[in-house]
Amino acid sequence: MSRKVTIQDLAEQLKLTTGTVSRALNNHPRISDSTKKTVLELAEKLNYRPNRLASSLRLGKTNIIGVIIPSAEINFFGSVVHGIESLASTYGYNILLYQSNESEQYEQKAIETFTDVRVDGILASIAKNTHDFSHYLNLRNKGIPLVFFDRSQDMLNIPAVLVDDFKGGYIATEHLLKQGYKRVAHISGQQHLKIFRDRLNGYLAALQAAGITPDETLIYSGSVSIQSGKDAMEYFTGLTNPPDAIFAVEDFTALGVIKAAKEKNIRIPEQLGIIGFANESFDEHISPALSSIDQQTVQMGKEAFALLLKLMDDKKNDGLKKINVILEPLLQVRQSSMVLKSQG
Amino acid sequence: MSRKVTIQDLAEQLKLTTGTVSRALNNHPRISDSTKKTVLELAEKLNYRPNRLASSLRLGKTNIIGVIIPSAEINFFGSVVHGIESLASTYGYNILLYQSNESEQYEQKAIETFTDVRVDGILASIAKNTHDFSHYLNLRNKGIPLVFFDRSQDMLNIPAVLVDDFKGGYIATEHLLKQGYKRVAHISGQQHLKIFRDRLNGYLAALQAAGITPDETLIYSGSVSIQSGKDAMEYFTGLTNPPDAIFAVEDFTALGVIKAAKEKNIRIPEQLGIIGFANESFDEHISPALSSIDQQTVQMGKEAFALLLKLMDDKKNDGLKKINVILEPLLQVRQSSMVLKSQG
DNA sequence: TTGAAAGCGCTAACAT
DNA sequence: ATGTTAGCGCTTTCAA
């Protein structure tokens, strides 16, 4: 196990000082071409590699950013992390990953770790069980830039990259109407969460834009689960005037609808159109394939890093300015709502 | 933005030296309880936080491990990373994440970055396009412990955590036979990859253990894709003596089989039993739900970290000993191969 | 253009 | 039990 070669070693062999060698290695303007050349050559020959700990300690910059996600096991976040890391590495940044497991306590530990390691910035998606946000707010005093993605908290006034859930609800509903469905229902999510309220409001707005007065009996208060979709179907089929299409708040809810429809021998999309939200990977593999709203996860990661980079670059701002990046939700049409194609 | 408080600051205020303060903070044995108490109190009060860069530089230990995966967007790896990070964080280790994008070049960059940052160890899953492994082998000289997971390379003699693919193929086939299927076919994967050869061999061994002579016409040379499953079905249905069950090398291949079977009005599992491999998240959501072999991804991550930890702890070994951890594949029975239940 | 010297913040050997 | 001192490897100011 060979001892690591340091700037010191290079300097001694070349009868130079460490300062000069450092300048040569870092392409300093005032250094002769000849010494630069010899230094680089010897460095190459001896397999010299800089010690980033040392330079980080000296410079006060690590080129590492901390990323907090609820769980790497959740597709959505894996995908966002993919986006973050891809862009970050092209800028010479590395990712320190921490999972919150949806717990406030882990989140605090993550931030403590990150500040101890002196990361240059932090990207985070807030844990579901976080109620006290002081650990996030404290980052401002410490001068560590922070950007939220996917899950944010408006009142904190911290930059975030989000999907436009209102618009998502709008285009999902609009799509069903354009397909010719007349009575479009909605299975909503827990209303204390803003994203679900937004989707509901998007639904309502799309109806109104089409000159349709929302029918309260067509809005089922559900949640994100297969069971919720099944329950909703139980309710809807019991109506004297049932819907002919459903916009479900999330793909798993939509999946429940599909399962229930099959049991009840209701044909999709002929008798009932259905669209979900999230564009889960199973959507295209079930039958009928499920239409959905894509949340641009990879792009979200890239935008989040890009925004963080901006904040890290110009410290004057240091996060005081509230900048939000809102991503467009994308309509992904598949069999479950494709009236024309399915007749062929 | 408050300046960071250092050990120096604590020492001055308490009229102690930095050495003593450091000892107090680190719970050194020879330190009086009283000074320890006052130091800790002031640290608390001033919100002192250690600079891990400085201590890492001094100690030559970062408590960071590097993790190389092909892509965080692939479910499988997200899940493994979840396992790694979960266990690592309980041991005070943090994860530096790098994606290889299946490229040898990125892999090399990852290792360069990791050594520059002075990670204490590395966990990696080899990129598909890696042919030269010297960057991995060089880690040995550098004294950086390395453990492979999921994708390894036997000849390198580097510790690895793997799933027993032979056994996976065996129990998948055995399961179909126990369900009463008589002619069990196999759709194989690319045979230059060891994992796929192993699954095929497991299939053959299970047949022989049941006293069945393998029938070459029941082995279709396929690959991991939906199309491959469809092609296989085209082939199998054309046989004069077609199979009544299929073990597909991977879930996507099995999915192709199911889609083709539906088109051909072949009932699953009554007329044709089917089992895949990987336990993809869509398995339980398609219909019929797909039986599969679970690869224990989260456990794989934990085992990988546990093994790395062992190597990091006792440097004498430093990876010279070849230790492999082989995980048991788990049978996951669902509708697609459940003869009894499906008759109910 | 290069050298000299100091210091980023911490820890550990050695001394008392 | 505490103080002293040196040094991890690097960068940068100041001086020549």
Side-chain angles (χ1 to χ4, degrees), chain A residues 7 19 22 48 51 58:
Chain A
I7 278 191
S22 170
Y48 168 79
N51 183 329
R58 179 63 231 254

Side-chain angles (χ1 to χ4, degrees), chain B residues 122-153:
Chain B
I122 295 178
L123 292 176
S125 214
I126 301 178
K128 276 192 185 148
N129 302 323
T130 296
H131 297 103
D132 175 8
F133 298 92
S134 49
H135 49 296
Y136 281 124
L137 291 171
N138 287 339
L139 289 172
R140 200 168 282 167
N141 313 323
K142 294 182 185 151
I144 302 177
L146 167 67
V147 169
F148 286 134
F149 59 90
D150 186 50
R151 302 186 191 168
S152 170
Q153 175 55 254

Side-chain angles (χ1 to χ4, degrees), chain B residues 7 22 48 51 58-59:
Chain B
I7 278 191
S22 171
Y48 167 79
N51 183 330
R58 178 63 231 248
L59 295 172

